mmCIF file of all heavy atoms in Angstrom:
data_model
loop_
_atom_site.group_PDB
_atom_site.id
_atom_site.type_symbol
_atom_site.label_atom_id
_atom_site.label_comp_id
_atom_site.label_asym_id
_atom_site.label_seq_id
_atom_site.Cartn_x
_atom_site.Cartn_y
_atom_site.Cartn_z
ATOM 1 N N LEU C 416 10.891 14.768 -1.950
ATOM 2 C CA LEU C 416 11.658 14.973 -0.799
ATOM 3 C C LEU C 416 13.041 15.276 -1.210
ATOM 4 O O LEU C 416 13.710 16.235 -0.834
ATOM 5 C CB LEU C 416 11.521 13.869 0.258
ATOM 6 C CG LEU C 416 12.414 13.964 1.521
ATOM 7 C CD1 LEU C 416 11.882 15.247 2.269
ATOM 8 C CD2 LEU C 416 12.289 12.820 2.308
ATOM 9 N N SER C 417 13.578 14.468 -2.150
ATOM 10 C CA SER C 417 14.975 14.591 -2.615
ATOM 11 C C SER C 417 15.118 15.975 -3.338
ATOM 12 O O SER C 417 16.140 16.781 -3.136
ATOM 13 C CB SER C 417 15.319 13.547 -3.589
ATOM 14 O OG SER C 417 15.390 12.265 -2.865
ATOM 15 N N ALA C 418 14.143 16.419 -4.203
ATOM 16 C CA ALA C 418 14.207 17.545 -4.861
ATOM 17 C C ALA C 418 14.101 18.746 -3.909
ATOM 18 O O ALA C 418 14.825 19.735 -4.034
ATOM 19 C CB ALA C 418 13.005 17.698 -5.923
ATOM 20 N N SER C 419 13.300 18.698 -2.833
ATOM 21 C CA SER C 419 13.142 19.735 -1.906
ATOM 22 C C SER C 419 14.567 19.871 -1.036
ATOM 23 O O SER C 419 14.931 20.937 -0.950
ATOM 24 C CB SER C 419 12.118 19.369 -0.904
ATOM 25 O OG SER C 419 12.090 20.248 0.193
ATOM 26 N N LEU C 420 15.075 18.749 -0.693
ATOM 27 C CA LEU C 420 16.374 18.832 0.013
ATOM 28 C C LEU C 420 17.345 19.408 -0.833
ATOM 29 O O LEU C 420 18.303 20.133 -0.340
ATOM 30 C CB LEU C 420 16.765 17.481 0.579
ATOM 31 C CG LEU C 420 15.927 16.852 1.622
ATOM 32 C CD1 LEU C 420 16.326 15.483 2.019
ATOM 33 C CD2 LEU C 420 15.866 17.792 2.929
ATOM 34 N N GLY C 421 17.454 19.074 -2.133
ATOM 35 C CA GLY C 421 18.482 19.603 -3.144
ATOM 36 C C GLY C 421 18.308 21.120 -3.190
ATOM 37 O O GLY C 421 19.314 21.892 -3.216
ATOM 38 N N ALA C 422 16.979 21.574 -3.342
ATOM 39 C CA ALA C 422 16.750 23.081 -3.384
ATOM 40 C C ALA C 422 17.228 23.734 -2.137
ATOM 41 O O ALA C 422 17.709 24.849 -2.191
ATOM 42 C CB ALA C 422 15.286 23.320 -3.713
ATOM 43 N N GLU C 423 16.973 23.165 -1.014
ATOM 44 C CA GLU C 423 17.408 23.714 0.295
ATOM 45 C C GLU C 423 18.850 23.913 0.348
ATOM 46 O O GLU C 423 19.474 24.857 0.785
ATOM 47 C CB GLU C 423 16.857 22.944 1.469
ATOM 48 C CG GLU C 423 15.433 23.173 1.743
ATOM 49 C CD GLU C 423 14.943 22.343 2.803
ATOM 50 O OE1 GLU C 423 15.703 21.816 3.549
ATOM 51 O OE2 GLU C 423 13.679 22.137 2.864
ATOM 52 N N ALA C 424 19.644 22.818 -0.146
ATOM 53 C CA ALA C 424 21.173 22.770 -0.093
ATOM 54 C C ALA C 424 21.590 23.839 -1.032
ATOM 55 O O ALA C 424 22.547 24.526 -0.691
ATOM 56 C CB ALA C 424 21.555 21.366 -0.484
ATOM 57 N N GLY C 425 21.103 23.968 -2.134
ATOM 58 C CA GLY C 425 21.453 25.058 -3.109
ATOM 59 C C GLY C 425 21.087 26.454 -2.503
ATOM 60 O O GLY C 425 21.950 27.374 -2.758
ATOM 61 N N ALA C 426 20.096 26.649 -1.848
ATOM 62 C CA ALA C 426 19.759 27.934 -1.188
ATOM 63 C C ALA C 426 20.749 28.337 -0.002
ATOM 64 O O ALA C 426 21.197 29.362 0.075
ATOM 65 C CB ALA C 426 18.366 27.978 -0.614
ATOM 66 N N ASP C 427 21.109 27.244 0.684
ATOM 67 C CA ASP C 427 22.091 27.355 1.747
ATOM 68 C C ASP C 427 23.482 27.742 1.165
ATOM 69 O O ASP C 427 24.199 28.661 1.737
ATOM 70 C CB ASP C 427 22.237 26.095 2.515
ATOM 71 C CG ASP C 427 21.027 25.805 3.397
ATOM 72 O OD1 ASP C 427 20.157 26.811 3.612
ATOM 73 O OD2 ASP C 427 20.864 24.713 3.864
ATOM 74 N N ALA C 428 23.781 27.202 0.099
ATOM 75 C CA ALA C 428 25.158 27.472 -0.556
ATOM 76 C C ALA C 428 25.061 28.896 -1.043
ATOM 77 O O ALA C 428 26.134 29.612 -0.955
ATOM 78 C CB ALA C 428 25.467 26.564 -1.701
ATOM 79 N N GLY C 429 23.957 29.342 -1.589
ATOM 80 C CA GLY C 429 23.967 30.764 -2.106
ATOM 81 C C GLY C 429 23.813 31.799 -1.039
ATOM 82 O O GLY C 429 24.194 32.961 -1.154
ATOM 83 N N ALA C 430 23.407 31.429 0.145
ATOM 84 C CA ALA C 430 23.329 32.260 1.358
ATOM 85 C C ALA C 430 24.633 32.707 1.904
ATOM 86 O O ALA C 430 24.660 33.607 2.693
ATOM 87 C CB ALA C 430 22.463 31.540 2.343
ATOM 88 N N LEU C 431 25.741 32.050 1.444
ATOM 89 C CA LEU C 431 26.977 32.493 2.044
ATOM 90 C C LEU C 431 27.411 33.991 1.569
ATOM 91 O O LEU C 431 28.255 34.535 2.194
ATOM 92 C CB LEU C 431 28.183 31.472 1.663
ATOM 93 C CG LEU C 431 27.946 30.091 2.226
ATOM 94 C CD1 LEU C 431 28.993 29.179 1.694
ATOM 95 C CD2 LEU C 431 28.184 30.087 3.712
ATOM 96 N N GLY C 432 26.773 34.388 0.543
ATOM 97 C CA GLY C 432 26.998 35.808 0.140
ATOM 98 C C GLY C 432 28.316 35.948 -0.713
ATOM 99 O O GLY C 432 28.231 36.237 -1.867
ATOM 100 N N SER C 433 29.486 35.765 -0.106
ATOM 101 C CA SER C 433 30.725 35.978 -0.794
ATOM 102 C C SER C 433 31.029 34.921 -1.739
ATOM 103 O O SER C 433 31.836 34.964 -2.605
ATOM 104 C CB SER C 433 31.812 36.133 0.171
ATOM 105 O OG SER C 433 32.046 34.835 0.798
ATOM 106 N N GLY C 434 30.258 33.738 -1.618
ATOM 107 C CA GLY C 434 30.562 32.661 -2.446
ATOM 108 C C GLY C 434 31.761 31.744 -1.952
ATOM 109 O O GLY C 434 32.216 30.808 -2.540
ATOM 110 N N GLU C 435 32.310 32.206 -0.864
ATOM 111 C CA GLU C 435 33.376 31.452 -0.284
ATOM 112 C C GLU C 435 32.825 30.659 0.850
ATOM 113 O O GLU C 435 32.139 31.017 1.762
ATOM 114 C CB GLU C 435 34.404 32.653 0.267
ATOM 115 C CG GLU C 435 35.729 32.087 0.540
ATOM 116 C CD GLU C 435 36.744 33.144 0.862
ATOM 117 O OE1 GLU C 435 37.053 33.910 -0.040
ATOM 118 O OE2 GLU C 435 37.176 33.284 2.071
ATOM 119 N N GLY C 436 33.414 29.390 0.793
ATOM 120 C CA GLY C 436 33.023 28.456 1.904
ATOM 121 C C GLY C 436 33.810 28.582 3.043
ATOM 122 O O GLY C 436 34.724 29.356 3.189
ATOM 123 N N ALA C 437 33.435 27.759 4.099
ATOM 124 C CA ALA C 437 34.184 27.885 5.419
ATOM 125 C C ALA C 437 35.584 27.470 5.280
ATOM 126 O O ALA C 437 36.506 28.116 5.978
ATOM 127 C CB ALA C 437 33.518 26.806 6.406
ATOM 128 N N ASP C 438 36.057 26.761 4.205
ATOM 129 C CA ASP C 438 37.479 26.378 4.103
ATOM 130 C C ASP C 438 38.191 27.423 3.160
ATOM 131 O O ASP C 438 39.435 27.149 2.931
ATOM 132 C CB ASP C 438 37.546 24.981 3.516
ATOM 133 C CG ASP C 438 36.902 24.794 2.233
ATOM 134 O OD1 ASP C 438 36.324 25.732 1.710
ATOM 135 O OD2 ASP C 438 36.842 23.702 1.735
ATOM 136 N N GLY C 439 37.508 28.398 2.833
ATOM 137 C CA GLY C 439 38.200 29.529 1.997
ATOM 138 C C GLY C 439 38.118 29.257 0.484
ATOM 139 O O GLY C 439 38.565 30.145 -0.318
ATOM 140 N N ASP C 440 37.583 28.124 0.058
ATOM 141 C CA ASP C 440 37.379 27.894 -1.324
ATOM 142 C C ASP C 440 36.108 28.624 -1.813
ATOM 143 O O ASP C 440 35.197 28.886 -1.295
ATOM 144 C CB ASP C 440 37.086 26.484 -1.636
ATOM 145 C CG ASP C 440 38.278 25.548 -1.366
ATOM 146 O OD1 ASP C 440 39.442 26.038 -1.303
ATOM 147 O OD2 ASP C 440 38.117 24.342 -1.265
ATOM 148 N N VAL C 441 36.310 29.049 -3.234
ATOM 149 C CA VAL C 441 35.157 29.646 -3.904
ATOM 150 C C VAL C 441 34.104 28.729 -4.206
ATOM 151 O O VAL C 441 34.523 27.721 -4.818
ATOM 152 C CB VAL C 441 35.734 30.529 -5.050
ATOM 153 C CG1 VAL C 441 34.512 31.130 -5.791
ATOM 154 C CG2 VAL C 441 36.701 31.608 -4.508
ATOM 155 N N ALA C 442 32.904 28.955 -3.948
ATOM 156 C CA ALA C 442 31.904 28.017 -4.336
ATOM 157 C C ALA C 442 31.684 27.933 -5.879
ATOM 158 O O ALA C 442 31.706 28.900 -6.438
ATOM 159 C CB ALA C 442 30.401 28.431 -3.770
ATOM 160 N N GLY C 443 31.662 26.638 -6.328
ATOM 161 C CA GLY C 443 31.495 26.454 -7.833
ATOM 162 C C GLY C 443 32.789 26.515 -8.507
ATOM 163 O O GLY C 443 32.822 26.238 -9.659
ATOM 164 N N ALA C 444 33.916 26.907 -7.920
ATOM 165 C CA ALA C 444 35.162 26.946 -8.599
ATOM 166 C C ALA C 444 35.890 25.623 -8.329
ATOM 167 O O ALA C 444 36.408 25.350 -7.285
ATOM 168 C CB ALA C 444 35.977 28.071 -8.129
ATOM 169 N N GLY C 445 36.135 24.939 -9.475
ATOM 170 C CA GLY C 445 36.852 23.722 -9.347
ATOM 171 C C GLY C 445 37.917 23.595 -10.406
ATOM 172 O O GLY C 445 38.018 24.519 -11.131
ATOM 173 N N PRO C 446 38.599 22.518 -10.513
ATOM 174 C CA PRO C 446 39.780 22.483 -11.490
ATOM 175 C C PRO C 446 39.233 22.525 -12.973
ATOM 176 O O PRO C 446 40.113 22.895 -13.777
ATOM 177 C CB PRO C 446 40.346 20.976 -11.184
ATOM 178 C CG PRO C 446 39.312 20.259 -10.418
ATOM 179 C CD PRO C 446 38.478 21.284 -9.804
ATOM 180 N N LEU C 447 38.100 22.229 -13.299
ATOM 181 C CA LEU C 447 37.563 22.335 -14.633
ATOM 182 C C LEU C 447 36.966 23.741 -15.013
ATOM 183 O O LEU C 447 36.632 23.985 -16.093
ATOM 184 C CB LEU C 447 36.538 21.201 -14.908
ATOM 185 C CG LEU C 447 37.132 19.773 -14.855
ATOM 186 C CD1 LEU C 447 35.949 18.743 -15.065
ATOM 187 C CD2 LEU C 447 38.220 19.500 -15.613
ATOM 188 N N ASP C 448 36.846 24.548 -14.005
ATOM 189 C CA ASP C 448 36.351 25.806 -14.258
ATOM 190 C C ASP C 448 37.264 26.708 -15.073
ATOM 191 O O ASP C 448 38.546 26.728 -14.702
ATOM 192 C CB ASP C 448 35.961 26.589 -12.992
ATOM 193 C CG ASP C 448 34.727 25.985 -12.204
ATOM 194 O OD1 ASP C 448 34.048 25.262 -12.875
ATOM 195 O OD2 ASP C 448 34.659 26.221 -11.058
#
Side-chain angles (χ1 to χ4, degrees):
L416 180 60
S417 296
S419 173
L420 292 175
E423 287 176 14
D427 290 345
L431 293 174
S433 67
E435 196 170 294
D438 57 2
D440 289 344
V441 175
L447 299 179
D448 291 338

